[in-house]
Amino acid sequence: MGAARKALAVTLTLCVLLCALAGCHPTQPTTGTAAPGLEVVDYAAQLKLNMSTSTLKQEATVKTYVDGDTVHFNVPASVMDGGVLKARFLAINTPESTGKIEEYGKAASNFTKETLKKATSIILESDTDTWNADSTGGRYLVWVWYKTAEMTDYRNLNIEILQNGLAIASNSGGNSYGDVALAAIAQAKAQKLNVHSGQKDPDFYYGEAVELDLKELRSNVEKYNGLKVAFNGIVTMNANETAYVEVYDSETDMYYGMTVYYGYGLNGDGVQILNVGNEVRIVGTVQYYETGGTWQVSGLTYRSMKPKDPNNIQKLSDGHQPAYVLTDPVRFATGTVDVVVDETVTTLPYAKLALSTTVSMQNLYVKDVYTTTNEESSSNGAMTLTCEVDGVTISIRTVVLLDAQGNLVTADAFLGKTIDIRGLVDYFDGTYQIKVFTMNDITIH
């Protein structure tokens, strides 16, 4: 750190500590209300970007918003392979809005997103003369500077988040702007802002359930066995007292899903919440379904007299569509995904993570068909199509299919044909497969 930067940091820190006693009058912040007798400093504005230092600096644009302290930026391929720098903001740790959801996590995530959406220029700065990876090895620690059309100087977003009380310290004193970061934290605590307020977060559910997202649940489902959990998602299918819910995750660029069994215990209003196309908040207990060898969430409740009860399922919006992600057969059969959970990278099969999500697949050659024959079963006439494509085998499981005239569709319709399909990722007898629910979801070439 240069002498001028140290002098500025020390001056700002002393100003915060002596404001009430010495009558200091620094610049007011853009947000927040000063505690009685306390003048406040807009550290994000007073800290200046120095383009002549030895740290790396790169102009960037936003590719994907992840949460309050993680954003993926578009940069030249000469800077990062693939032209994407996955940034973890230096000196701050915002509450989680992905994974296991925490108080003020949504507020921090929204603050970062809304701030950068207004930016006309964004510059990423390393803390040294190289881009430094975080503990996951896939994200890089950076300072984020931004400027809007109305601004002449860049503001430091890391410091701005700290001074608004939307993050706690994360090695804050051991970085280039450490003294300023610590002063911003001290000021936010003195002002009792957000995470330092001791007040409840108005956007957080204070119920019995563990608040999380579907990526966290799907990646660590065994950890939540027997626990009540809550998550948001889009209802893509509803059949046999079972709803299927999915949601997109920008960090891994894929969908995660869960099977939700509601049985006959949910009242009519509650069942209506689970209509296909609704975005919903699911609250239920994680259970292992022995017969199917898969995990599900069950035990849903809806109290009509208390629709906002945090233990209720809730409808959040409507008008959504299943994703039906066009999926590469090889990736489905053999692909893996690196998932970051609790700062640890875990590699899991793609199909396992994609369970209960909607996918589509093309040019499947049907080489064999097995038909269920059990007149006492509701599956009598259902089929399993063994398909080949791109050197891999894909299993397609159908329900009992009827054509437009209401006649039973049999194996002859598919055997030896090439088909395109849409369905849900399913698991049966040790094999990941795709389950198809109607003839409209199969195209025969």
Side-chain angles (χ1 to χ4, degrees):
M1 183 187 302
R5 187 182 291 173
K6 288 184 178 179
L8 172 62
V10 171
T11 299
L12 294 175
T13 305
L14 289 174
C15 190
V16 171
L17 297 175
L18 299 176
C19 271
L21 296 177
C24 180
H25 296 282
T27 304
Q28 293 293 313
T30 56
T31 59
T33 301
L38 176 67
E39 296 284 354
V40 292
V41 180
D42 187 356
Y43 292 105
Q46 290 199 3
L47 187 61
K48 301 301 182 183
L49 173 61
N50 185 348
M51 296 296 290
S52 66
T53 63
S54 62
T55 59
L56 297 181
K57 301 168 188 74
Q58 177 60 53
E59 190 155 13
T61 59
V62 173
K63 179 181 186 293
T64 305
Y65 297 99
V66 178
D67 61 15
D69 56 25
T70 306
V71 175
H72 297 176
F73 291 98
N74 296 307
V75 297
S78 58
V79 175
M80 286 287 161
D81 289 341
V84 177
L85 188 150
K86 298 180 178 181
R88 178 68 162 79
F89 296 5
L90 275 159
I92 73 173
N93 184 13
T94 61
E96 295 298 326
S97 61
T98 60
K100 188 176 179 181
I101 312 301
E102 298 174 337
E103 295 173 89
Y104 293 100
K106 183 177 179 180
S109 181
N110 288 341
F111 184 86
T112 294
K113 182 176 182 178
E114 293 307 313
T115 299
L116 291 180
K117 281 175 67 176
K118 299 174 185 176
T120 54
S121 178
I122 299 170
I123 291 180
L124 308 180
E125 182 184 13
S126 66
D127 202 53
T128 65
D129 60 359
T130 188
W131 299 110
N132 300 301
D134 72 351
S135 60
T136 69
R139 300 181 297 197
Y140 291 84
L141 299 165
V142 299
W143 299 100
V144 180
W145 300 84
Y146 75 94
K147 184 167 62 174
T148 67
E150 296 77 25
M151 295 163 53
T152 56
D153 294 324
Y154 285 89
R155 290 175 66 84
N156 187 288
L157 181 56
N158 309 50
I159 300 300
E160 189 168 16
I161 292 170
L162 287 174
Q163 75 184 27
N164 279 281
L166 290 170
I168 60 173
S170 178
N171 192 29
S172 299
N175 302 299
S176 294
Y177 306 118
D179 291 340
V180 186
L182 292 176
I185 294 168
Q187 177 174 273
K189 288 181 177 179
Q191 292 181 271
K192 297 183 178 179
L193 297 179
N194 293 312
V195 299
H196 309 298
S197 68
Q199 303 297 315
K200 288 187 174 181
D201 176 4
D203 294 321
F204 185 79
Y205 290 97
Y206 290 90
E208 301 169 5
V210 178
E211 300 288 333
L212 40 66
D213 64 13
L214 272 175
K215 180 175 74 170
E216 165 68 15
L217 180 56
R218 177 55 71 190
S219 303
N220 294 284
V221 65
E222 293 88 352
K223 182 170 74 174
Y224 297 100
N225 185 21
L227 297 181
K228 181 178 282 190
V229 299
F231 55 87
N232 295 351
I234 307 298
V235 180
T236 61
M237 190 73 63
N238 193 324
N240 301 319
E241 292 79 49
T242 301
Y244 299 88
V245 179
E246 70 182 12
V247 71
Y248 176 71
D249 172 68
S250 58
E251 181 91 42
T252 51
D253 189 27
M254 66 176 290
Y255 283 79
Y256 295 85
M258 183 56 63
T259 301
V260 178
Y261 176 72
Y262 57 88
Y264 298 98
L266 204 59
N267 62 33
D269 291 338
V271 173
Q272 290 298 311
I273 289 174
L274 298 176
N275 284 345
V276 172
N278 286 350
E279 178 190 12
V280 296
R281 168 178 154 86
I282 297 295
V283 185
T285 302
V286 179
Q287 294 181 334
Y288 185 69
Y289 179 49
E290 293 284 353
T291 302
T294 58
W295 294 88
Q296 65 182 20
V297 170
S298 61
L300 280 60
T301 60
Y302 182 73
R303 300 173 64 188
S304 300
M305 299 301 291
K306 292 186 176 181
K308 297 300 182 182
D309 186 325
N311 294 308
N312 274 352
I313 62 170
Q314 295 181 23
K315 176 182 173 181
L316 305 177
S317 63
D318 56 25
H320 304 278
Q321 298 293 327
Y324 288 119
V325 176
L326 181 60
T327 303
D328 174 43
V330 176
R331 188 185 190 200
F332 182 85
T334 63
T336 60
V337 178
D338 290 339
V339 181
V340 179
V341 180
D342 296 330
E343 302 300 318
T344 300
V345 177
T346 302
T347 301
L348 296 172
Y350 168 84
K352 179 178 181 178
L353 289 176
L355 272 171
S356 300
T357 66
T358 57
V359 298
S360 62
M361 203 170 288
Q362 298 177 346
N363 299 317
L364 304 175
Y365 176 74
V366 183
K367 68 173 187 178
D368 189 40
V369 179
Y370 167 79
T371 302
T372 300
T373 53
N374 183 349
E375 294 184 359
E376 297 181 0
S377 171
S378 60
S379 296
N380 185 45
M383 293 172 281
T384 298
L385 316 180
T386 301
C387 304
E388 282 189 351
V389 59
D390 296 334
V392 298
T393 299
I394 303 292
S395 293
I396 308 298
R397 177 65 178 175
T398 77
V399 298
V400 178
L401 297 175
L402 303 177
D403 63 18
Q405 290 72 43
N407 300 315
L408 180 68
V409 178
T410 63
D412 292 340
F414 305 115
L415 188 61
K417 308 286 180 58
T418 299
I419 61 174
D420 302 336
I421 59 92
R422 301 192 312 173
L424 284 163
V425 179
D426 193 24
Y427 181 82
F428 177 74
D429 196 25
T431 300
Y432 294 104
Q433 59 185 16
I434 302 173
K435 189 171 183 178
V436 175
F437 289 85
T438 72
M439 269 301 293
N440 291 332
D441 292 321
I442 304 178
T443 301
I444 303 174
H445 293 286

